[in-house]
Amino acid sequence: MIRVIYLKVDKLMIKQSNSSQGFTLIELVVVIIVLGILAVVAAAKYVDLKRDSEIARVQATAAALQQSVTFSHTKWQLIGANTAMNDLPDYVGGVLDINSYGFPLGTGKGNPMGQPKNIGQGEQGCVDLWNILQQDPASIALSSVNDDSDFQAYRHQADTNPDGLTECTYVLRTLGDTQGREQADMKIVYDSVAGTVKSFIKS
């Protein structure tokens, strides 16, 4: 009697172990499809988060640049200046050149300034302004240089004031945007006549 019970128990255990052999092919396919869907959703969310963080960075950088431009203008007014000048004293190392409106033009413009309305010297003037008016600025390159820099700098005429090369546009390149300054997805524009720094984000 006892031996019969052991045999029945052994057969039951063998039957149970045979019935739990793992996933079927259909179950594996379903799991792979679900994981694929989750991966696509997560990747899309990551791209959105990266874009959102870059929008915030562009806006914060524009605000920081505007603050520096405003401070330099205030300093120019405090010393009683009313014309273009080289090397604004006691501000960012005393190397900032100022136009006749009291706003930064760059560094090393020469004294007297050959073209006191133009940001300069050359497009490098926009790079110089970017680096000198910020603490720990993001990496930047000239518009003709395609490297791993976060931004590219362009010097150009203003649409509303074509009298000289008075604007700098800083185009964000970290999201793979390769378009020119006018069609760029995210950019910062400095107008040295109005003394304004604005961010532009395409929706």
Side-chain angles (χ1 to χ4, degrees):
M1 177 86 171
I2 294 175
R3 189 169 179 205
V4 173
I5 292 173
Y6 279 132
L7 286 173
K8 285 186 178 180
V9 171
D10 284 344
K11 284 182 181 178
L12 185 61
M13 290 176 71
I14 290 168
K15 196 178 232 184
Q16 284 180 346
S17 65
N18 287 340
S19 66
S20 59
Q21 293 178 355
F23 294 111
T24 65
L25 183 59
I26 292 174
E27 290 171 330
L28 284 174
V29 170
V30 170
V31 168
I32 290 169
I33 289 171
V34 169
L35 288 175
I37 292 169
L38 290 174
V40 169
V41 170
K45 189 66 177 169
Y46 171 76
V47 170
D48 288 345
L49 288 174
K50 184 159 177 54
R51 179 176 165 78
D52 290 347
S53 70
E54 291 295 51
I55 288 172
R57 177 164 76 139
V58 166
Q59 291 171 337
T61 300
L65 282 168
Q66 180 64 70
Q67 187 177 49
S68 291
V69 168
T70 302
F71 284 168
S72 65
H73 183 68
T74 302
K75 179 66 178 176
W76 178 81
Q77 290 175 317
L78 286 173
I79 64 173
N82 56 13
T83 60
M85 67 178 297
N86 295 98
D87 305 332
L88 181 67
D90 303 321
Y91 188 74
V92 295
V95 297
L96 194 60
D97 298 329
I98 304 293
N99 64 17
S100 58
Y101 303 102
F103 299 112
L105 279 179
T107 62
K109 284 282 292 174
N111 191 4
M113 293 185 201
Q115 295 178 315
K117 293 181 180 179
N118 287 0
I119 292 172
Q121 307 173 346
E123 201 167 65
Q124 182 64 40
C126 290
V127 173
D128 293 341
L129 284 172
W130 177 268
N131 288 325
I132 202 166
L133 292 176
Q134 299 182 76
Q135 289 186 342
D136 301 319
S139 60
I140 191 164
L142 300 175
S143 65
S144 58
V145 176
N146 292 315
D147 59 11
D148 292 332
S149 295
D150 294 345
F151 288 84
Q152 272 184 313
Y154 297 78
R155 183 183 75 146
H156 55 92
Q157 289 182 342
D159 294 334
T160 55
N161 176 26
D163 187 18
L165 301 173
T166 59
E167 286 191 353
C168 290
T169 294
Y170 304 104
V171 177
L172 181 75
R173 295 300 186 199
T174 57
L175 296 176
D177 185 3
T178 58
Q179 299 191 76
R181 68 174 177 83
E182 293 179 350
Q183 294 80 29
D185 188 36
M186 294 188 212
K187 61 188 175 182
I188 297 168
V189 179
Y190 166 56
D191 183 337
S192 66
V193 173
T196 58
V197 182
K198 296 178 181 176
S199 60
F200 295 88
I201 314 291
K202 280 188 180 177
S203 55

